[in-house]
């Protein structure tokens, strides 16, 4: 579960923010905004590699670092005046902020995976 949460976090961000014409490669975005997306994705990849290495070593809480540190930022950003959780009108028409839903699901998977992993290590 933890491995899935780590890899899914990177994959979702790559699809939604990096290899997507509406974000990093959007010519209408200011250069500085694209700069921050590039920096954010690089940081996420590096922390995710650390998390995967920690998972291989059985360091459960360190392995949860990537998804547990990335997804809460979406909820914080949602509270900032002037931000918009919808990247397009078609997403707005769904009526569900899909990014916040994904964040909640991935945080849940991360927490559950960490708890299950830790409980499997305890002697009965």
């Amino acid at each position: 579960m933890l491995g899935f949460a780590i890899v899914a976090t990177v994959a979702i961000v790559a699809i939604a923010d990096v290899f997507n014409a509406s974000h990093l490669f959007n010519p209408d975005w200011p250069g500085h905004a694209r700069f921050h997306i590039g920096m954010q994705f690089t940081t996420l990849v590096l922390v995710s590699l650390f998390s995967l290495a920690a998972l291989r070593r059985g360091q459960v809480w360190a392995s949860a670092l990537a998804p547990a540190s990335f997804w809460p930022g979406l909820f914080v950003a949602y509270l900032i005046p002037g931000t918009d959780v919808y990247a397009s009108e078609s997403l707005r028409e769904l009526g569900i902020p899909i990014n916040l839903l994904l964040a909640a699901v991935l945080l849940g998977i991360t927490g559950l995976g960490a708890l299950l992993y830790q409980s499997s290590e305890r002697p009965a």
Side-chain angles (χ1 to χ4, degrees):
M1 288 180 96
L2 280 168
F4 171 81
I6 296 163
V7 173
T9 297
V10 173
I12 290 167
V13 173
I15 292 165
D17 293 347
V18 178
F19 303 107
N20 181 326
S22 70
H23 282 68
L24 182 62
F25 297 108
N26 183 346
D28 295 330
W29 269 32
H32 193 68
R34 288 186 280 151
F35 171 83
H36 277 284
I37 290 283
M39 181 270 317
Q40 171 231 328
F41 187 66
T42 302
T43 302
L44 177 60
V45 168
L46 292 172
V47 173
S48 295
L49 290 171
F50 170 83
S51 291
L52 288 170
L55 185 59
R56 284 189 57 130
R57 288 186 196 72
Q59 299 167 328
V60 62
W61 295 107
S63 68
L65 180 64
S69 65
F70 179 80
W71 294 113
L74 273 73
F75 297 102
V76 173
Y78 175 69
L79 299 174
I80 298 171
T83 61
D84 191 352
V85 294
Y86 299 104
S88 68
E89 287 307 311
S90 60
L91 289 174
R92 186 181 311 282
E93 290 172 7
L94 290 174
I96 299 168
I98 197 78
N99 48 8
L100 297 181
L101 179 63
L102 282 170
V105 168
L106 267 294
L107 283 170
I109 290 170
T110 300
L112 183 60
L115 290 172
L116 289 173
Y117 190 93
Q118 187 177 23
S119 67
S120 71
E121 298 248 314
R122 289 188 186 148

